[in-house]
Amino acid sequence: QVQLVESGGGLVQAGGSLRLSCAASGGTFGRYAVGWFRQTPGKERERVAAISRGGGSTYYADSVKARFSISRDNAKNTVYLQMNSLKPEDTAVYYCAAGRQNSVAMSLSSIDYWGQGTQVTVSS
């Protein structure tokens, strides 16, 4: 059983930056592809970024390309999401997710573990 704990969310002004962290415990983290998803009230949870087990493949949603960067440190059992040039529309609860399938496609149905989420609020 893998536990995922997100941190690093908060309130930031538009144009600012935040770095989210997802710390894993209870399993061999390097066996999982990891993704960041976000959700706002009344909307479906959407995949923002994902990274393969070894970090060689990444995915970014069009809305965050060139602004967000995902990375991982398997020795530290941690995945990061660096978010730059934040916009008010990036406001959401951000969730870390892990899946055994080594694919950055990471559909919601392929997720094996979810974190509790961290709030990111971007003010205009």
Side-chain angles (χ1 to χ4, degrees), residues 43-88:
K43 292 190 176 180
E44 189 172 293
R45 195 168 293 190
E46 65 168 340
R47 181 169 47 118
V48 173
I51 189 165
S52 60
R53 292 171 184 165
S57 296
T58 56
Y59 161 87
Y60 297 96
D62 287 342
S63 59
V64 307
K65 278 180 182 175
R67 299 189 298 121
F68 290 11
S69 177
I70 189 170
S71 61
R72 68 188 299 162
D73 185 339
N74 286 342
K76 295 183 178 180
N77 288 345
T78 304
V79 169
Y80 306 96
L81 185 67
Q82 178 67 44
M83 305 187 295
N84 299 326
S85 303
L86 283 161
K87 305 176 181 180

Side-chain angles (χ1 to χ4, degrees), residues 104-124:
V104 295
M106 296 197 84
S107 63
L108 292 177
S109 62
S110 72
I111 301 301
D112 294 294
Y113 302 103
W114 289 98
Q116 293 297 307
T118 185
Q119 176 71 46
V120 171
T121 303
V122 185
S123 63
S124 57

